[in-house]
Amino acid sequence: MKGPRRRVFAGLAAVMLVTASCASDDEPVADESDTTTGTSPATQPPEDETAEQPASTTAPTETTEATQTTDPGAPEDDGPAGAGGTLVVAISDDPGQYNPALTTSGSVHTASELMFSGLVSYDDDYAPQPDLALSWEIEDDGALYRFALRDDVAWHDGTPFTSNDVKFTFENVLTEFHSRTKASVGALLVSVDTPDDTTVEFRFSEPYAPLLQQLDVTEAPILPAHIYANGDIEGNPANLEPVGTGPFMFGSRTPDEEIVLVKNPDYFEDGLPILDEVVMRVIPDAGSQVLALESGEVDWLWGVPGPDLERFRNDDRYGTLDTLVNPGGANCIMTVSFNLDRAIFQDVQVRRAIAHALDREAFVERVAFGQGNAATAPISSGIPTAHADGLDLPDFDPDEAARLLDEAGWVRDGDGVRTAQGVDGVDDGTPLRFGVHLFPNFAPYGELMKALLIEIGVDLEINALERATMVEQVFTDRNFDTNVISYCNGTDPEVGIRRMYISGNIAPIPFSNSSGYVNTDVDALFDEARNTVDPAARAEVYRTLQEILVDELPYYWLVETTSTRVFTAECSGFKAFGHFAESASCSRE
Amino acid sequence: MTRGYIFARLWQTLPMLLGVVVIGFLLVHIAPGDPILALAGENGDEAYYAAMRERYGLDQPLANQLGTYLWRLAQGDLGTSAIQKQPVSDVILDRLPNTLLLAGTALVISTLGGVLAGLWAASRVGGWRDRTVAIGTLLMYALPVFWLGQIAILWFGLRWGWFPVQGRTDARSRATGLAHVLDVAHHLALPALVLASQQIAVIARLTRATLVDALRSPHIDAARARGVSESRILVRHALPAALLPVVTVVGNRVGHLVSGAVVIEIVFGWPGIGRLLVSATNDRDIPVLLGLFLLIGFAVLIANLLTDITYKWLDPRIRIG
């Protein structure tokens, strides 16, 4: 590019960039990124695990202003077989293998959950509903669970499903490979017994309360023993061409391009599924996914960037579904961790001051673009059985924040950055300056934090680091001051909360106790909650726990993030998670 | 003689590829980030992560890991993708044809388009054609590919509906035979054009410059004096001489095409190795990364070799070997 012309063209290009910005559209803001492996459903899943969910009690609301053209479940007008149509789903990456029992990876689960089933599924309030299991009973105060299984289920290859499949999957796969289920269920599980083909019994070394919240297709998908029993589980060809019991069967796969699922004609739920085909289309770029939906090339997006969402909500050619759940995880809270090894964060007054300065509502509005609610407790409101109402979480109050910092010995001269004056373990004159580690797609959280904190004389440095690097610095090297992570609570506190707070989990483990919080009372309460099967008694234990946590503030909880599915109004009958397309149908032309 | 030269050159690529592998291996390991994270999933306990490390040999000293890798490589085994749980060679070969199709089409479009545009511009230096090409190429060169891609999708895909906005085939059709070929061509057009745009600019400007130079040489004056037509002079007399530097540039642009393909494949959802490179990097899928380094290194070396051979073919005075 030579000479003076260069400037002209730079200018021209700039003009065009502005014109185009509507299109090229930048990253989602509020959303997180991924799940375990790499990329994730376009916009949302939180970094740590995956999912998200809405606010209050859950109930994925059909926000659809769109006309629901067909009733869920209502067969199409034109004819019998072949009437359900094809649903094209955009996914962010092709995980390369489709065995959901091997991993918690959101991308594997997104691509594969329609092909498998769990013992139970969850309704919108996470109450367990029959899936492969018809009913269950709990004995020995929760140390023994007995499930009666369906006797009319066949694997996609025609082999009957039996209790032996459940035993095999738990003993040989889930408690070996599925990190969440291994760490929780696996730790206390003594045996899985199969008195007959339709009965399975789980025996634990002590009462284990959360089991029923860990048995859906996300936490515990059941694999066919007759296919996996011989040879290498990770190298099994069925990982590429799965055989499950779900509403859809594996059809074909073109790497990095699409996975085609076809209707399971022998699905055990009568009349389902309705669709003939579900095509999982791989489109890595969130902006391109939006364009593909608008051009009609795909029908369903797991999430869209915040700025695009309003447009879809106000357009009756599209339907939307808000949810706190994503494949692979649920109930995520954007959480600030304080590294308690650092001298400046040892004083709870300093942590409280920072909490008072961080306006949760502002994060919801300006960073999450309304996709979420201000957190009100350490446990997400998406787990109504454990979430405590009315806790005394520090409210936005910069004056109180300033007062607390003055008291703690961080003095401010005019509008400058505060400096230490007699703070334990800190040299006098040290400025109140620290860093926040976060994933690049969460950088807007860091920017708002910085703007809010400078108001009270705290200087924040934003360290936006690529996923693998950040996890290493935070959890392996513990070389950070604070971080912002989307901690997903899961369907039960035992799944995603315990790991953040118990002292035994300060370890080089991703998304463990990143603050380095040690409180033996808290450890004991978590154990007690795990052993308490009675829901009311268990909720009490969790309330006590949350009161302690709010008092000590090892973390500060900003936003319960929601994600919004967006789909064409030509299709309807969706659920937000699990077998989301089981009762969906599409009408075209 | 030529054949001997080619063998010698191919032989020389071996140590270079070895260098690519060793340096790539060290780079991947020096970079922060633990492959076990992407591999293993979350909320596990320490024993779980330790077991996974052992399973994938990541607990071994670096030198051992490198040694094992090279030993297997010597036997033609690229290893197994930790994430996809398939042989690396399958993972790469599944996607390579798509990238070859995209990059190859872009290479052809950019070479032909660039040379033609250069010819057109040089046919009257300083005239309106010349200026049009100058402005057009500057623009194409200056615009970032990812942005141009989005704009192309927005206008040609969404606004006018001429082309699909993503993918390699239509998700709703299972076309075979000719219909399939046409479907792929329809999907290929936009990404290939966008990928070619920058190269067209480079090649057009170079062709024009060398042509203008060539048109000043005495043998052109002699041809004009003999009454040869201007167009014939341009194409038959000036162009062959002017093409030599163009060939060099085209050869050297192969590496650029690969990096451009990474961006294009993401914007257009094109299932090629560029995307694989990105996801393997994010996941720290080391065997796949090393396999890709090898492949890309090999492609660049081969492209350079082909450039040299074409050179000789275009200008018999050049001696190689």
Side-chain angles (χ1 to χ4, degrees), chain A residues 1 17 20 23 38 48-49 96 104 177 179 234 256-257 281-282 288 296-297 299 466-467 472 495 499 588, chain B residues 33 37 41-43 48 55-56 86 95 141 147 151 154 164-169 172 267 275 283-284:
Chain A
M1 205 102 333
L17 262 172
D48 105 65
E49 340 200 4
T104 59
F177 296 96
S179 56
E234 284 183 291
D256 270 352
E257 184 167 353
R281 185 71 177 204
V282 186
S288 301
E297 288 170 44
D299 302 316
E466 172 252 11
R467 179 182 170 85
E472 182 165 289
V495 176
R499 58 175 173 157
R588 279 204 180 73
Chain B
L37 167 67
E42 288 150 15
N43 315 35
Y48 175 77
R55 188 188 296 272
Y56 288 96
Q86 300 174 60
R95 292 158 180 83
Y141 191 76
W147 180 81
I151 290 301
L154 204 63
V165 306
Q166 54 77 40
R168 191 182 64 101
T169 53
R172 291 195 186 86
V267 172
R275 260 167 61 186
D283 294 343
R284 302 289 192 272

Side-chain angles (χ1 to χ4, degrees), chain B residues 62-279:
Chain B
L62 209 53
N64 289 13
Q65 291 186 42
L66 178 60
T68 311
Y69 182 78
L70 290 176
W71 173 243
R72 293 212 183 120
L73 188 62
Q75 298 163 327
D77 178 3
L78 287 169
T80 302
S81 161
I83 301 292
Q84 308 205 17
K85 325 233 182 269
Q86 300 174 60
V88 169
S89 47
D90 289 359
V91 170
I92 292 178
L93 289 177
D94 277 345
R95 292 158 180 83
L96 183 60
N98 295 333
T99 296
L100 289 179
L101 181 63
L102 176 64
T105 310
L107 193 66
V108 171
I109 293 175
S110 60
T111 309
L112 289 180
V115 169
L116 285 177
L119 267 174
W120 201 55
S123 61
R124 182 145 314 145
V125 177
W128 65 271
R129 296 170 176 178
D130 196 12
R131 260 173 289 160
T132 310
V133 170
I135 292 172
T137 52
L138 272 172
L139 209 55
M140 281 198 279
Y141 191 76
L143 297 178
V145 176
F146 69 90
W147 180 81
L148 198 61
Q150 295 272 14
I151 290 301
I153 291 176
L154 204 63
W155 288 85
F156 297 103
L158 212 55
R159 170 91 33 119
W160 295 320
W162 295 350
F163 296 101
V165 306
Q166 54 77 40
R168 191 182 64 101
T169 53
D170 184 346
R172 291 195 186 86
S173 89
R174 299 278 167 274
T176 50
L178 182 63
H180 176 70
V181 173
L182 290 176
D183 188 23
V184 171
H186 193 205
H187 282 79
L188 174 65
L190 220 44
L193 278 171
V194 173
L195 180 55
S197 65
Q198 235 174 43
Q199 325 283 331
I200 292 184
V202 172
I203 292 167
R205 293 192 68 81
L206 188 72
T207 308
R208 177 196 171 276
T210 52
L211 269 176
V212 168
D213 234 23
L215 284 172
R216 290 202 199 101
S217 53
H219 77 276
I220 300 292
D221 289 340
R224 284 210 178 96
R226 289 199 306 275
V228 180
S229 77
E230 272 305 304
S231 55
R232 194 177 161 81
I233 285 177
L234 204 58
V235 176
R236 293 299 299 274
H237 296 255
L239 187 61
L243 274 185
L244 275 183
V246 174
V247 167
T248 316
V249 169
V250 170
N252 287 341
R253 300 298 289 186
V254 167
H256 293 251
L257 270 178
V258 172
S259 56
V262 172
V263 177
I264 290 293
E265 286 177 8
I266 287 179
V267 172
F268 285 89
W270 188 264
I273 57 165
R275 260 167 61 186
L276 183 65
L277 189 63
V278 175
S279 62

